[in-house]
Amino acid sequence: MKLKNLLVATVSAVVLAAPFTVSKAAAEGEQFIPMLAYRVGPYAAGGSGMFGAFEDYLALLNARDGGINGVKLTWEECETEYNSDRGVECYERLKNNGPTGATVVNPLSTGITYRLIERATADKIPIVSLGYGRTDATDGRVFPYVFPLITNYWSQNTAKIKFIGAKEGGMDKLKGKKIANVYHESSYGKETIPILDKQAEIYGFEVKHYAVPHPGQEQKAIWLDLGRRYKPDWVILRGWGVMNPTALTEAARVGFPADHIVGVWWSGAEEDVRPAKGAAKGFIAAGFHPSGADFPVLQDVIKYVQDAGNGNVDKKRVGTIYYNRGIIHGIVTAEAIRTAQGKFGNRPITGEEMRWGLENLNITEERIKELGAEGLMQPLHVTCADHEGGGNVKFQQWDGEKWVLITDWIKADRELLRPIIEASAAKYASEKGIEIRKGMSMGSDCGG
Amino acid sequence: MFYREAGQFKTSYPSDQAIFPILQDRWTVITILVVAFVVIPLVANQYWLGPILTQFLVFSLAALGLNILTGYAGQLSLGTGGFMAVGAYATFNLVLRIPELPLVVALIVAGVITAFVGVLFGLPSLRIKGFYLAVATLASQFFLIWLFDHVGWFTNYDTAGVASAPSRTLFGALADAGGPLDFLAPINPVVSGPRAATETKYLLTLTVVAVLALMAKNMVRSGIGRTWMAIRDMDIAAEIIGISPIRAKLSAFAVSSFYCGVAGGLYVFTYLGNADTEAFGLTRSFQILFMVIIGGLGSVVGSFMGAAFIVFMPVLLNNVSSVVFGGTLSGDTISNMELMIFGGSIIFFLIVEPHGFARLWQIAKQKLRVWPFPY
């Protein structure tokens, strides 16, 4: 090896290593939001739609309003491939960017949420797990930095049972019925098992759990058992990504009716049913928002961001389920920043201040109308004890072309859940030696 | 000119049998250790220490474990992820149920438990070879993951099946202030859980990996390593010259699983902080097998090189592309491009040198020897 070659090798090694150390120069007066996106892999349909829309909404605020009260929003993506371990790496990479560090982190993955709960709490960066994540984090007295906003998994699950009960003609008719729970074998999929068992006890139905290993393309044996042997009255599909169309196709193969399969909201998007073609017709899924691009806020996104050539995801996807969910992520983040600014001043806020903003977030019916999102999202009122804030679910059915809403808001059975959530959170608190917050703690009234 | 052993005479057997007989090698290794132990913790930031370097060290250890089994003893295994999981859950349960136990001791005990599990799943290797053995070890991967998913005791009955590393100090609770060994309290830092400093976790991982790597290097140079290699190269001939295949194969499984188990424990305790079985799936087994293949089968340093490639490359590509293309290309394009470049570079390196980085390293050393007058 020539000495020159050695020199070239050294220089190129230094050049290659340089990007690791570069932290992008951030202008003062910017609010940084890390994006733990996943645009490749078996869950890319969800990741690209939601993160694209999330970024589109922030871009809209920048383009139309000049940011939030003059504070520009910035963000940077880091590809996680929905891999929890990559998520940790991405979080560590992005958490100190921007003048005030990461404002808030949206993992969009229950696995990553679990990985980050302790890290983010130690770093004082709030986690928003909107419609997913660790359910007992709803008890904000134990989890000050975690916000499973709008509707957590347990709430959604009770709404599903209510829906099934209504279809059967009353909750008392559930007695003796058989329900199969087909779940994605991950922390996400397992989350509702205890609550289903509990409800089975209360209402007298029978529940059987079927685990589908990641990524979920192999379900033949499960559906054969479901269709030929167990023959349940209803199937709850806790799917995600490619697991969903596979499940629907297999169900059709064994002749299980699609309109007796009730999906979680991570199986209720266009991308989940289109690949299953005819097999998906009649499939029912939960949701906390509708699809469609007629909302004024989406028209603004099209006008200011997508048509200006600054879109962060293909324009064809505007108005799909995942896209609209990303817009809701954007609205919640922006409104929490606004709330925090109301208390701390119109400047970039820190993670700690953002935590206060989230805990005192109150998005009313009027505010939703002002935002141009009427009908897109439900009112949200977060408190110290209740980090969920909403708790309502709608059900929609795939007619072969689009999702059609088939119910109004169904309230979750929060009276049933609250004691279980509190007990679970208390167990976590005692394991970890966490003191349960009381009174005026961290700038919020926690009662007691 | 710089790398030449001319004039370095060996006058005794011990000096001839030294791990690094060439002076320049010795200095290189010492420099690397000094940089790793002293310079890096002083200059590196949290991001470098945690996700990049600690993760690299853990995977190097796992790759080293697999390399002992596959590279030295010639037994193809696809159960690495499962064995790492055994180590991780064993450490978790030991530390959780016996709080007095120092983390390092827990890691070693967990390693021993994994070694037993490894021997158990290594039994088929006495009858079957090659791809068939790979399939048999695949069964261990699926069985172990299934076990941890379905038996709640292993995760202390966590709803989501997540084992979260509790906060523990280096010498355990007995050495905390006020305990019976409280003279150790000043040098008893928190080494796991959210309160532990990244530097401490990095140093702990580095120490464990350095010691185990040294042991591996010695093992493969000694009698036991030679029996492994004899079995790898031709098992019938090895048996004829008096090597017991049972002992050689099972000891390879035991040592390899020990390394993988410790790596699994470190992965959860010093890097991730908590883990579910997702972290130890089949993809993990393949990933570590690729590290060994790309790094070089039958080479200690190759395990480190392979781990470096597999851990750093995606992160590097992700960083480079977001700096270079951020704002010009769409996120979808960048992400897909990274995957393609990563796959392409694996193929490129394997075409350039099918025997892995270790072989490239050897060629480079040979070239350095004759430089600047190649013949």
Side-chain angles (χ1 to χ4, degrees), chain B residues 24-44:
Chain B
Q24 286 90 335
D25 279 356
R26 227 161 19 239
W27 279 109
T28 314
V29 171
I30 291 173
T31 318
I32 289 174
L33 285 179
V34 169
V35 168
F37 273 99
V38 183
V39 181
I40 286 177
L42 286 177
V43 299

Side-chain angles (χ1 to χ4, degrees), chain B residues 115-124 250:
Chain B
F116 278 110
V117 176
V119 169
L120 192 70
F121 285 104
L123 286 176
L250 291 188

Side-chain angles (χ1 to χ4, degrees), chain A residues 183 185 190 209 211 213, chain B residues 82 85-86 89 138-152 154-155 277-278 280-281:
Chain A
Y183 68 95
E185 195 164 35
K190 288 180 198 163
H209 305 286
Chain B
V86 173
Y89 284 100
L138 199 58
S140 76
Q141 167 75 39
F142 286 121
F143 170 74
L144 291 169
I145 295 303
W146 177 89
L147 182 74
F148 296 128
D149 266 334
H150 291 264
V151 181
F154 288 111
T155 50
T277 46
E278 194 194 326
F280 303 108

Side-chain angles (χ1 to χ4, degrees), chain B residues 202-280:
Chain B
Y202 164 77
L203 283 174
L204 177 74
T205 316
L206 181 63
T207 315
V208 173
V209 172
V211 170
L212 287 180
L214 180 75
M215 282 166 62
K217 182 82 190 162
N218 273 319
M219 245 183 300
V220 298
R221 294 177 335 123
S222 64
I224 188 170
R226 281 165 211 279
T227 61
W228 293 340
M229 284 185 269
I231 290 285
R232 172 193 66 190
D233 291 343
M234 199 180 212
D235 49 355
I236 296 176
E239 204 173 347
I240 288 169
I241 59 170
I243 291 168
S244 155
I246 298 185
R247 201 178 292 167
K249 284 179 180 174
L250 291 188
S251 65
F253 264 101
V255 173
S256 159
S257 311
F258 178 87
Y259 277 65
C260 293
V262 174
L266 284 173
Y267 193 48
V268 173
F269 274 77
T270 62
Y271 172 47
L272 286 182
N274 59 48
D276 43 24
T277 46
E278 194 194 326
F280 303 108

Side-chain angles (χ1 to χ4, degrees), chain B residues 47-136:
Chain B
Y47 171 58
W48 260 99
L49 279 177
I52 306 283
L53 289 172
T54 310
Q55 197 188 1
F56 155 67
L57 287 169
V58 168
F59 282 127
S60 303
L61 190 63
L64 187 56
L66 184 63
N67 217 335
I68 288 173
L69 187 63
T70 305
Y72 284 98
Q75 310 297 309
L76 193 54
S77 163
L78 284 175
T80 324
F83 295 137
M84 284 177 78
V86 173
Y89 284 100
T91 320
F92 169 71
N93 279 296
L94 284 165
V95 166
L96 184 79
R97 288 166 213 283
I98 316 169
E100 292 81 18
L101 207 63
L103 183 60
V104 179
V105 178
L107 282 171
I108 294 170
V109 177
V112 173
I113 294 173
T114 318
F116 278 110
V117 176
V119 169
L120 192 70
F121 285 104
L123 286 176
S125 73
L126 304 176
R127 293 296 291 271
I128 48 179
K129 288 183 212 169
F131 290 120
Y132 301 97
L133 180 64
V135 175

Side-chain angles (χ1 to χ4, degrees), chain A residues 1-4 6 16-17 19-22 24 39-41 48 76-79 81-86 88-90 92-93 95-96 111 114-119 122 134 136 154 183 185-188 190-194 211 214 311-314 317 424 427-428 431-432, chain B residues 1-2 45-48 51-52 55 59 96 146 148-150 156-162 164-167 193-195 198 201 267 270-279 283-284 312 314-316 318-320 322-323 326 330-333 335-336 338-339 364 367-368 371:
Chain A
M1 194 188 278
K2 301 253 169 58
L3 196 58
K4 201 176 80 186
L6 200 71
L16 282 177
F20 284 102
T21 51
V22 173
K24 278 192 207 157
R39 290 176 183 265
V40 293
S48 55
E76 190 181 330
E77 271 192 25
C78 177
E79 174 68 43
E81 299 177 14
Y82 194 74
N83 175 328
S84 307
D85 303 1
R86 283 280 294 272
V88 172
E89 190 264 309
C90 282
E92 291 288 333
R93 188 196 304 176
K95 73 177 184 188
N96 291 323
Y114 267 92
R115 289 275 196 284
L116 295 184
I117 285 176
E118 288 175 12
R119 271 174 203 265
R134 182 171 178 133
D136 57 8
W154 291 1
Y183 68 95
E185 195 164 35
S186 61
S187 41
Y188 146 65
K190 288 180 198 163
E191 192 77 24
T192 52
I193 292 175
H214 157 92
N312 294 290
V313 71
D314 198 333
R317 301 186 62 187
S424 175
K427 179 175 169 253
Y428 177 86
E431 263 173 33
K432 297 284 166 188
Chain B
M1 193 157 70
F2 307 113
N45 59 18
Q46 300 283 315
Y47 171 58
W48 260 99
I52 306 283
Q55 197 188 1
F59 282 127
L96 184 79
W146 177 89
F148 296 128
D149 266 334
H150 291 264
N156 201 19
Y157 304 101
D158 187 272
T159 324
V162 175
S164 144
S167 279
R195 278 182 294 134
T198 319
K201 293 192 206 171
Y267 193 48
T270 62
Y271 172 47
L272 286 182
N274 59 48
D276 43 24
T277 46
E278 194 194 326
T283 352
R284 181 72 68 219
F312 294 161
V315 177
L316 177 82
N318 199 209
N319 273 292
V320 170
S322 68
V323 171
S330 81
D332 298 301
T333 318
S335 295
N336 283 304
E338 281 166 27
L339 265 191
K367 289 217 163 138
L368 262 181
W371 185 83

